[in-house]
């Protein structure tokens, strides 16, 4: 086997390739740009070579720099990952000419299959159905219009060199062809340095199904089943799964055989993916072949138990494929969600920033392929993929639930991500029912908002989690102050049930909590429904909390600001306001109380214990007068009146524990 290889990529895929190399005893060399000097892929590799400038066109995309780095460090082969130079036939050829091995197919195969027009022609030749259209380059607008008339609108204009969903335009009538043609040509020239366009019929509501293949250098070709990647935004995948709910063993066999034929016809070796779309009548059409490892390869690994990178390395080294088609079996179901630094509310625009906190989910059925850690900087230079979460289950439904649980616990701070958005998709009834199409997001969402109302059950669970944690935090404060309470007198009597009112957007929840003395087992009534809840060890300072509700573990992400609690669960993100009944009554009088702009209330500035109240109801007070004394951290502090007025209500009593933001008094101005 190779002793040392260079990985010409960055981010999660480089980290993932290094893992397999470590297991196989292969030394790894990473390359990095200035922006990536301190990134995870550099730390994980045995050695790393700087490529300089942060711009990929001056670093990751410069073949010479990469080949030089590999030669200097004594590498025998280069793994290109995906994106960057992975589908660049020129790079592949240069690597071979330099005496090293390119871990992928031959440059001839890349050249043919990388051009969508040439690959469609090849597909036809090998008996694979293609999307009806014009298999050839469009020379000008007039030809585009004529071809579109012939196949019938709507049509899709596509760049021959395309990738990553770039440049495609749907054209629905003749009048729109002019502007679309020019825009598409401009974009493809800019993105790929190649102006060639072609036209296909636009298939409405298709599913994207692709076949993973493996081929060695001796003509042995097998497939590893399909992946469904219908959940896309901007023609780019964000959720992928295998097996596809739309594919039965017959269709799998048929599509697999076609993909293998195409690979044979192209003289293909190594791992590759043949992409198809399936129309509503289950007709399949070849789209393109990707001549590299695919972003979503882990779902295939989960159900086949194979390591695709290991197989790539063995094939590139010249080994004969040890697997025959009948050796490949599929077990269970796997789903992947891509976690990207992007803002679903702003049309999925990429986001940048520094990751300030990072806590990936863990679990037996969960795999996380990640390129980031706390401290990683997400820059403007590269694509927005941060990590991938892959779940496995015996059935699709079990895998779906496992992925939801994982996403509920995925905590990333510092950059905007799509974690909650992909979670919303997974929770959508249409996704659960496997009613998928590439238009899923347009169909079921307005921007980042689902067109469905959030389920009452989920909102109730969120109200329970926020209230319980709020309550236990208050209780911790009270307990820590107990020794003091004794000497002040008037400690609040323990109760066996507690009552809270919770508000979130337009929804109101009435909660009753009844806990055992150690506060771990609870009976909770939320709007009349009863729940049995077990809390974990008292870790209420955490930003994630796992509760056992009615026998099932649920993870919530919470952030506190007094009694305002931001919560995320199953893709729903909301602020919950938790009130004691007295505070609630007050909030009814003054709906704006939440805004914290009123100066006719006395707010507690810190957590502590009320040791003295210096006024009574009806007293006149002046601005700056100390009204309540709160003891905290062994210090007594006076809380001063924000206004001149009359004390209308006193909401606390001596000996009571209070938290930041609690309302102590109300004034009549
Ligand atoms: P996959 O089918 O493996 O998901 P994608 O089309 O999503 O492939 O692309 C994989 C990665 O490579 C993405 O990060 C994408 O941004 C990048 N990529 C693909 N093709 C190109 C290209 N031609 N130019 C730049 N980046 C590309
Ligand atoms: P890329 O190289 O950018 O991945 P593809 O040809 O693989 O381009 O297409 C990407 C996505 O665009 C597909 O998954 C599908 O959602 C959509 N698409 C491509 N061709 C068609 C078509 N003819 N009709 C409808 N949708 C299409
Ligand atoms: Mg594609």
């Amino acid at each position: 086997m190779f002793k040392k290889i260079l990985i010409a990529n960055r981010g999660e895929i480089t980290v993932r390739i290094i893992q397999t190399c470590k297991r196989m005893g292969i030394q790894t060399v990473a390359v990095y740009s200035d922006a990536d000097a301190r990134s995870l892929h550099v730390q994980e590799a045995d050695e790393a070579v700087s490529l300089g400038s942060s711009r990929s066109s001056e670093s990751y995309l410069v073949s010479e720099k990469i080949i030089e780095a590999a030669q200097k460090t004594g590498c025998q082969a280069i793994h290109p990952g995906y994106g960057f130079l992975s589908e660049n036939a020129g790079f592949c050829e240069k690597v071979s000419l330099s005496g090293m091995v390119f871990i992928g197919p031959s440059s001839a195969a890349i050249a043919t299959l990388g051009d969508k027009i040439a690959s469609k022609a090849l597909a036809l030749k090998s008996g694979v159905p293609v999307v009806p259209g014009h298999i050839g380059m469009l020379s000008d607008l007039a030809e585009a219009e004529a071809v579109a008339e012939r196949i019938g609108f709507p049509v899709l204009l596509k760049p021959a060199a395309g990738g990553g969903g770039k440049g495609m335009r749907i054209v629905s009538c003749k009048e729109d062809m002019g502007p679309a043609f020019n825009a598409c040509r401009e974009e493809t020239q800019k993105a790929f340095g190649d102006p060639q366009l072609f036209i296909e019929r636009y298939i409405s509501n298709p599913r994207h199904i692709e076949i993973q293949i493996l081929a060695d250098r001796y003509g042995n070709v097998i497939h590893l089943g399909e992946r469904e990647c219908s959940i896309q935004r901007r023609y780019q995948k964000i959720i992928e799964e295998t097996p596809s709910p739309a594919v039965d063993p017959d269709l799998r066999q048929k599509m697999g055989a076609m993909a293998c034929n195409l690979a044979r016809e192209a003289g293909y070796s190594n791992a590759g993916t043949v992409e198809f779309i399936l129309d509503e009548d289950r007709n399949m059409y070849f789209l393109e072949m990707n001549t590299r490892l695919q972003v979503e390869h882990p779902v295939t690994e989960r159900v086949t138990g194979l390591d695709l990178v290991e197989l790539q390395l063995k094939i590139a080294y010249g080994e004969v494929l040890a697997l025959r088609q009948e050796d490949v079996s599929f077990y269970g179901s796997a789903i992947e969600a891509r976690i990207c630094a992007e803002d679903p509310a702003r049309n999925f625009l990429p986001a940048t920033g520094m990751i300030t906190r990072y806590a990936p989910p863990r679990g037996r059925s969960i795999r996380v392929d990640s390129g980031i850690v706390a401290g990683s900087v997400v820059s403007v230079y590269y694509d927005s993929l941060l990590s991938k979460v892959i779940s496995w289950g015996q059935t699709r439904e079990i895998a779906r639930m496992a992925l939801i649980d994982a996403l509920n616990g995925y905590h990333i701070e510092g950059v905007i991500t799509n974690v909650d958005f992909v979670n919303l998709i997974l929770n959508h009834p249409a996704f659960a029912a496997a009613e998928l199409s590439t238009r899923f997001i347009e169909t079921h969402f307005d921007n980042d908002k689902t067109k469905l109302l959030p389920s009452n059950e989920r909102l109730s669970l969120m109200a329970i989690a926020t209230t319980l944690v709020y309550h236990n935090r208050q209780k911790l404060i009270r307990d820590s102050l107990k020794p003091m309470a004794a000497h002040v007198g008037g400690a609040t009597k323990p109760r066996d049930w507690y009552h809270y009112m919770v508000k979130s957007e337009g929804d109101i929840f009435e909660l009753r909590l009844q806990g055992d003395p150690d506060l771990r087992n609870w009976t909770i009534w939320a709007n009349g429904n009863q729940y049995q809840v077990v809390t974990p060890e008292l870790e209420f300072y955490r930003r994630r909390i796992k509760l056992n509700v009615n026998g099932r573990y649920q993870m919530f992400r919470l952030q506190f600001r007094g009694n305002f609690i931001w919560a995320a669960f199953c893709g729903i993100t909301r602020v919950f306001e938790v009130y004691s009944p007295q505070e609630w009554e007050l909030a009814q009088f003054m709906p704006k109380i939440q805004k914290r702009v009123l100066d006719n209330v006395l707010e507690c500035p810190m957590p502590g214990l009320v040791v003295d109240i210096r006024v009574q109801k009806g007293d006149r007070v002046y601005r700056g007068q100390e009204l309540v004394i709160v003891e905290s951290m062994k210090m007594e502090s006076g809380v001063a009146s924000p206004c001149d007025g009359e004390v209308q209500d006193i909401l606390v009593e001596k000996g009571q524990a209070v938290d930041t933001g609690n309302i102590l008094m109300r004034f009549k101005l």
Side-chain angles (χ1 to χ4, degrees):
M1 189 30 69
F2 301 119
K3 299 216 159 34
K4 196 181 202 182
I5 70 164
L6 181 140
I7 301 151
N9 216 295
R10 61 183 301 282
E12 65 85 20
I13 193 63
T14 303
V15 175
R16 186 258 167 273
I17 293 167
I18 292 172
Q19 279 167 359
T20 292
C21 290
K22 281 189 175 153
R23 194 168 52 69
M24 295 173 71
I26 301 170
Q27 297 268 303
T28 52
V29 179
V31 288
Y32 62 94
S33 67
D34 294 342
D36 280 339
R38 296 185 308 126
S39 64
L40 186 61
H41 81 273
V42 174
Q43 293 166 28
E44 292 294 303
D46 296 309
E47 284 171 64
V49 179
S50 163
L51 299 173
S53 173
S54 299
R55 288 169 191 277
S56 15
S57 59
E58 294 165 18
S59 50
Y60 294 109
L61 288 172
V62 184
S63 312
E64 291 73 22
K65 284 191 182 180
I66 287 171
I67 292 172
E68 193 192 321
Q71 283 175 326
K72 266 200 189 144
T73 49
C75 289
Q76 296 161 287
I78 297 183
H79 195 305
Y82 53 69
F84 293 127
L85 294 167
S86 61
E87 295 183 277
N88 183 314
F91 176 65
C92 170
E93 185 154 351
K94 283 181 207 156
V95 172
S96 310
L97 286 175
S98 71
M100 290 181 287
V101 176
F102 178 82
I103 301 168
S106 68
S107 64
I110 296 177
T112 316
L113 295 167
D115 180 320
K116 291 190 182 177
I117 300 175
S119 69
K120 270 184 92 166
L122 188 74
L124 269 185
K125 204 175 132 203
S126 31
V128 180
V130 302
V131 185
H134 176 64
I135 305 180
M137 187 187 114
L138 298 168
S139 43
D140 55 21
L141 177 59
E143 188 183 6
E145 285 173 348
V147 172
E149 292 283 4
R150 183 167 53 75
I151 39 186
F153 290 100
V155 296
L156 194 61
L157 266 178
K158 291 172 99 171
K166 287 199 196 85
M168 282 187 273
R169 290 272 184 307
I170 303 172
V171 187
S172 44
C173 61
K174 192 171 170 203
E175 291 66 49
D176 295 347
M177 185 57 91
F181 186 82
N182 291 329
C184 184
R185 185 139 75 171
E186 215 167 276
E187 201 174 324
T188 169
Q189 177 67 46
K190 229 167 79 192
F192 311 108
D194 175 330
Q196 291 188 78
L197 302 183
F198 68 108
I199 283 190
E200 274 179 3
R201 178 186 296 159
Y202 178 71
I203 310 285
S204 55
N205 291 315
R207 300 172 85 121
H208 175 117
I209 314 268
E210 58 186 32
I211 302 284
Q212 174 72 53
I213 64 113
L214 276 176
D216 66 14
R217 298 204 192 146
Y218 315 100
N220 301 306
V221 188
I222 60 170
H223 73 85
L224 304 182
E226 80 285 1
R227 294 182 287 256
E228 171 150 10
C229 317
S230 297
I231 307 294
Q232 306 181 344
R233 43 94 181 85
R234 305 168 161 233
Y235 302 113
Q236 280 192 320
K237 307 154 185 170
I238 48 173
I239 295 175
E240 303 98 346
E241 60 182 293
T242 187
S244 161
V247 174
D248 57 23
D250 269 0
L251 188 57
R252 176 172 307 121
Q253 201 274 331
K254 201 167 135 199
M255 292 178 87
M258 282 184 180
C260 291
N261 284 345
L262 178 65
R264 261 186 222 106
E265 192 70 41
Y268 195 86
S269 74
N270 219 293
T273 297
V274 182
E275 297 189 330
F276 295 90
I277 48 180
L278 207 63
D279 72 12
E280 289 171 303
D281 302 321
R282 302 223 308 165
N283 297 308
M284 61 174 156
Y285 306 100
F286 168 79
L287 271 186
E288 64 162 340
M289 179 158 180
N290 290 327
T291 56
R292 55 173 163 85
L293 188 64
Q294 205 93 340
V295 174
E296 58 276 18
H297 75 279
V299 292
T300 299
E301 296 186 326
R302 285 308 293 261
V303 301
T304 57
L306 299 169
D307 179 331
L308 283 174
V309 172
E310 176 185 338
L311 290 159
Q312 283 194 297
L313 288 161
K314 288 181 169 166
I315 291 169
Y317 193 68
E319 287 187 16
V320 176
L321 201 55
L323 287 164
R324 286 158 306 166
Q325 189 64 55
E326 54 272 27
D327 300 329
V328 179
S329 51
F330 307 101
Y331 188 57
S333 198
I335 313 180
E336 170 182 279
R338 298 191 191 190
I339 306 305
C340 301
E342 66 181 25
D343 189 352
R346 297 177 56 218
N347 200 19
F348 308 100
L349 269 174
T352 56
M354 182 190 272
I355 311 241
T356 48
R357 274 182 182 233
Y358 186 62
R362 275 183 292 205
R364 257 190 310 134
S365 55
I366 293 300
R367 162 173 167 183
V368 180
D369 282 15
S370 161
I372 51 165
V373 288
S376 295
V377 173
V378 182
S379 69
V380 295
Y381 298 107
Y382 315 112
D383 81 40
S384 59
L385 184 68
L386 302 176
S387 74
K388 306 178 306 207
V389 196
I390 303 101
S391 70
W392 181 88
Q394 264 173 24
T395 63
R396 181 178 191 266
E397 185 57 13
I398 295 171
R400 187 179 74 92
M401 297 310 278
L403 190 51
I404 291 169
D405 285 346
L407 293 171
N408 281 343
Y410 204 149
H411 189 89
I412 306 178
E413 263 179 49
V415 290
I416 299 172
T417 73
N418 64 345
V419 168
D420 296 314
F421 181 70
V422 290
N423 204 351
L424 267 186
I425 296 176
L426 283 155
N427 276 286
H428 199 286
F431 186 90
E435 289 156 9
L436 310 179
S437 99
T438 58
R439 298 191 59 239
F440 187 94
I441 291 174
E442 292 159 74
T443 309
H444 298 293
F445 289 80
D446 282 323
N447 266 323
D448 61 329
K449 300 265 181 300
T450 147
K451 293 179 183 170
L452 293 176
L453 288 173
S455 96
N456 286 330
E457 176 65 11
R458 286 200 190 116
L459 290 176
S460 294
L461 292 183
M462 293 172 86
I464 288 172
T466 49
T467 307
L468 200 50
V469 177
Y470 177 78
H471 175 85
N472 280 349
R473 283 188 160 215
Q474 296 288 99
K475 157 88 175 135
L476 280 183
I477 297 169
R478 276 201 297 278
D479 284 355
S480 69
L481 295 168
K482 241 185 202 149
M484 292 192 295
H487 81 81
V488 188
T492 39
K493 315 136 218 77
R495 272 182 275 169
D496 55 4
W497 59 265
Y498 297 86
H499 188 190
Y500 287 98
M501 296 300 292
V502 181
K503 194 172 156 209
S504 175
E505 295 178 10
D507 301 303
I508 292 169
F509 306 86
E510 192 176 348
L511 269 77
R512 257 162 194 274
L513 280 52
Q514 188 169 33
D516 66 1
D518 70 3
L519 299 181
R520 295 210 41 206
N521 291 290
W522 296 89
T523 303
I524 296 177
W525 286 266
N527 288 355
N529 295 321
Q530 190 185 323
Y531 300 84
Q532 289 308 126
V533 182
V534 185
T535 62
E537 295 300 323
L538 293 168
E539 290 182 344
F540 295 114
Y541 53 88
R542 289 273 177 104
R543 306 217 181 174
R544 295 186 294 184
I545 180 111
K546 199 175 186 182
L547 297 180
N548 183 321
V549 186
N550 292 341
R552 179 166 149 63
Y553 281 101
Q554 306 277 9
M555 182 82 96
F556 301 84
R557 284 176 13 246
L558 304 175
Q559 270 179 51
F560 278 78
R561 200 163 263 240
N563 61 335
F564 281 56
I565 303 151
W566 178 92
F569 178 63
C570 291
I572 307 168
T573 55
R574 278 198 175 191
V575 174
F576 288 79
E577 303 162 34
V578 181
Y579 295 101
S580 68
Q582 300 98 306
E583 288 173 320
W584 176 253
E585 215 168 285
L586 205 59
Q588 298 315 296
F589 277 114
M590 296 176 293
K592 285 218 178 58
I593 203 165
Q594 307 90 308
K595 297 275 187 293
R596 298 283 186 236
V597 289
L598 292 187
D599 53 5
N600 63 339
V601 293
L602 184 66
E603 219 185 295
C604 189
M606 71 206 129
L609 185 84
V610 175
V611 293
D612 199 10
I613 297 171
R614 302 225 155 131
V615 286
Q616 290 180 343
K617 193 168 164 172
D619 284 359
R620 295 273 331 155
V621 296
Y622 58 89
R623 196 176 159 179
Q625 182 183 347
E626 285 193 345
L627 305 181
V628 176
I629 308 296
V630 174
E631 185 175 334
S632 164
M633 310 251 107
K634 300 202 165 133
M635 258 174 47
E636 289 194 355
S637 320
V639 186
S641 173
C643 58
D644 297 330
E646 185 189 316
V647 178
Q648 190 175 28
D649 272 308
I650 300 179
L651 296 152
V652 289
E653 46 188 288
K654 216 159 115 175
Q656 184 177 334
V658 284
D659 194 5
T660 311
N662 281 171
I663 293 164
L664 307 175
M665 283 185 194
R666 187 156 68 98
F667 308 105
K668 211 189 284 169
L669 296 183

